Amino acid sequence: MKFKVLGAGLAGVEAAWQIAERGYKVQLYEMKPIKRSPAHKTDLFAELVCSNSLKASRLDSAAGLLKEEMARLGSVTVPVARECAVPAGGALAVDRDIFSSKITEKIKSHKNIEIINQVVETIDTDDDTITIVATGPLTDGTLAESISNLTGDYLSFYDAAAPIVTADSVDMSKAFGASRYDRGGEDDYINCPFNKEEYENFISELVNAQGAVVHDFDVYEGCMPIEKLAKRGLDAPRFGPMKPVGLVDPRTGHRPWACVQLRRENDKGTMFNLVGFQTNLRFGEQKRVFSMIPGLENAEFVRYGVMHRNSFIDSPRLLNKNFSLRANHNIFFAGQITGVEGYMESASSGIIAGINAVRYAEGKPSFVLNNDTMMGALSEYISDESVKNFQPMGANFGVLPPIEPKIRDKRERYMALSNRALTSLEKSMENLK
């Protein structure tokens, strides 16, 4: 039996790693450097595009639980992320270049992984080949047509990335360093505080700025462009990415009316991204409007926000819980193309697909986690035929069965959910030994 993995993003490298670590040869197909998607800038594997944050690292958080489950299942991305983390309060943020470089090195040096740089145009349906499609949300062209022949129509949405500025161009006489509720160091985030007048002027210019695309898009809620959010109401950003809670402006001694947070982009702290400021504004408009943010009047933008097309299949109709096609069990899908939303969510699906590709080849039952684990709950969500109007889903405690009797304190409840999940995971892992 031959193993093929299409795409060397986070899901693809995890899938290939799981197969290779089980002693099987696997071919990992990657179109870079022959071709790049509109969102990618380097030829490295597991390239991070939208943000450098892998979300919360605390075990009493959904994102933290997901990463711990992945680590226990032999993830390749989680240990590397922890090695090259940069200060980000309670979040796990990484130096993008170091992260992708280390992943690329580990994958290329594995004796069981063969890298094939090729633009794949068709999906192999031979009975003697197991294929994992992890080509990402920007899959297009002939390959997209080949996938459509297997899956039917795509569901599409649009995703937006935030701008990045240089640290030394931020006016620190107006901005200040701090994490919310003092969780982390002063260097983790730069905060740009607004008073009420500054905020209202900013929102007025933001909602009237010219976008790069003239028609409206069906944008996933988690990547809502800041200008579209602002059009929902004057205070919408102030209760979203511009919320001031947990922050005190040292100049006034009070909480600001609103605040834009800048998160460290690299280990050296030379670049920061505007948290929650995914945008579809024209570059000139981004420069004009975002320079109204206190402290960013003379900011140097090293990357402007961009918007790109994302596509995902109708997974509840098409996929089993082990991420294989119901109509063809030797073809698996993994990553954002399945409708999991987020870097680590994509990587986790690659782990499940890789493990089960091997088990299918060996004639063993699928490795399926219970829905009281985060990975199991996400796997169930993308394969639940009762789901209507399927939309991308990221890790959250709402997908887990509730704890009974209910624990009133939220932090205690979340910790109890995490502990239950890890106990369940350990029991399920006995089947892998």
Side-chain angles (χ1 to χ4, degrees), residues 13-22 73-76 350-351 354-355 358:
V13 298
E14 288 282 15
W17 186 261
Q18 291 293 328
I19 295 168
E21 285 289 277
R22 284 164 171 75
L73 284 170
S75 166
V76 64
I351 293 174
I355 291 173
V358 170

Side-chain angles (χ1 to χ4, degrees), residues 68-90:
E68 181 59 27
E69 290 178 1
M70 293 170 61
R72 295 191 184 194
L73 284 170
S75 166
V76 64
T77 60
V78 171
V80 171
R82 290 170 174 170
E83 287 176 18
C84 55
V86 298

Side-chain angles (χ1 to χ4, degrees), residues 388-418:
K388 306 298 181 184
N389 301 316
F390 179 60
Q391 289 294 315
M393 177 68 71
N396 66 89
F397 281 121
V399 298
L400 301 182
I403 289 279
E404 298 294 345
K406 184 175 180 179
I407 301 172
R408 296 184 62 86
D409 182 84
K410 185 169 68 173
R411 293 288 295 272
E412 291 182 10
R413 183 167 69 252
Y414 288 171
M415 195 69 243
L417 287 168
S418 292

Side-chain angles (χ1 to χ4, degrees), residues 87 121 123 373 391 399:
E121 295 185 341
I123 305 298
T373 65
Q391 289 294 315
V399 298

Side-chain angles (χ1 to χ4, degrees), residues 41-334:
K41 306 300 180 185
T42 78
D43 295 330
L44 298 172
F45 299 165
E47 183 178 354
L48 304 182
V49 177
C50 183
S51 168
N52 71 325
S53 174
L54 305 180
K55 301 180 183 176
S57 57
R58 305 185 316 274
L59 194 53
D60 60 355
S61 68
L65 171 60
L66 177 67
K67 287 190 280 290
E68 181 59 27
E69 290 178 1
M70 293 170 61
R72 295 191 184 194
L73 284 170
S75 166
V76 64
T77 60
V78 171
V80 171
R82 290 170 174 170
E83 287 176 18
C84 55
V86 298
L92 175 60
V94 301
D95 184 303
R96 297 190 208 217
D97 291 338
I98 295 176
F99 173 77
S100 294
S101 295
K102 284 182 175 290
I103 294 291
T104 303
E105 180 182 357
K106 288 179 76 71
I107 295 299
K108 286 187 173 182
S109 63
H110 200 295
K111 64 179 182 180
N112 287 333
I113 301 177
E114 178 188 2
I115 309 300
I116 300 178
N117 296 113
Q118 179 180 321
V119 178
V120 177
E121 295 185 341
T122 59
I123 305 298
D124 196 336
T125 58
D126 294 344
D127 291 338
D128 66 345
T129 302
I130 295 178
T131 301
I132 299 177
V133 182
T135 50
L138 302 181
T139 304
D140 61 4
T142 305
L143 179 59
E145 294 176 10
S146 179
I147 294 173
S148 293
N149 291 335
L150 293 171
T151 65
D153 293 337
Y154 272 89
L155 304 177
S156 296
F157 65 102
Y158 281 75
D159 194 7
I164 297 174
V165 299
T166 59
D168 59 8
S169 68
V170 179
D171 184 352
M172 295 304 295
S173 69
K174 298 181 178 180
F176 63 94
S179 295
R180 296 188 193 278
Y181 303 106
D182 293 323
R183 294 174 180 166
E186 291 186 359
D187 296 332
D188 293 1
Y189 291 89
I190 294 175
N191 302 277
C192 301
F194 288 78
N195 61 34
K196 184 177 180 181
E197 181 181 3
E198 290 169 336
Y199 174 78
E200 292 180 351
N201 289 338
F202 173 74
I203 296 300
S204 176
E205 292 300 317
L206 182 63
V207 298
N208 290 300
Q210 188 174 8
V213 182
V214 295
H215 58 279
D216 195 20
F217 293 115
D218 179 20
V219 180
Y220 171 62
E221 196 74 17
C223 278
M224 177 70 63
I226 185 65
E227 65 272 14
K228 185 169 184 177
L229 177 63
K231 291 178 181 178
R232 291 185 171 183
L234 176 62
D235 287 326
R238 200 165 67 89
F239 288 92
M242 295 180 69
K243 59 182 180 290
V245 296
L247 297 169
V248 175
D249 186 344
R251 295 177 305 166
T252 64
H254 300 290
R255 186 174 76 180
W257 183 256
C259 188
V260 172
Q261 280 202 307
L262 311 182
R263 182 171 55 225
R264 183 186 292 243
E265 178 69 20
N266 58 1
D267 191 39
K268 296 179 180 179
T270 58
M271 297 184 294
F272 281 72
N273 62 66
L274 279 64
V275 178
F277 265 60
Q278 301 89 352
T279 181
N280 186 42
L281 296 181
R282 292 183 180 275
F283 290 176
E285 290 289 79
Q286 290 184 46
K287 173 65 175 176
R288 179 181 68 83
V289 177
F290 296 156
S291 293
M292 295 177 65
I293 297 171
L296 300 190
E297 292 86 352
N298 298 303
E300 177 188 357
F301 289 81
V302 295
R303 188 194 72 184
Y304 288 108
V306 295
M307 177 168 277
H308 50 268
R309 179 180 184 273
N310 278 1
S311 298
F312 56 95
I313 60 175
D314 191 359
S315 293
R317 181 174 59 85
L318 297 164
L319 299 184
N320 296 305
K321 195 174 179 180
N322 67 357
F323 287 88
S324 68
L325 271 180
R326 292 197 181 108
N328 194 330
H329 290 184
N330 65 329
I331 297 178
F332 292 76
F333 282 80

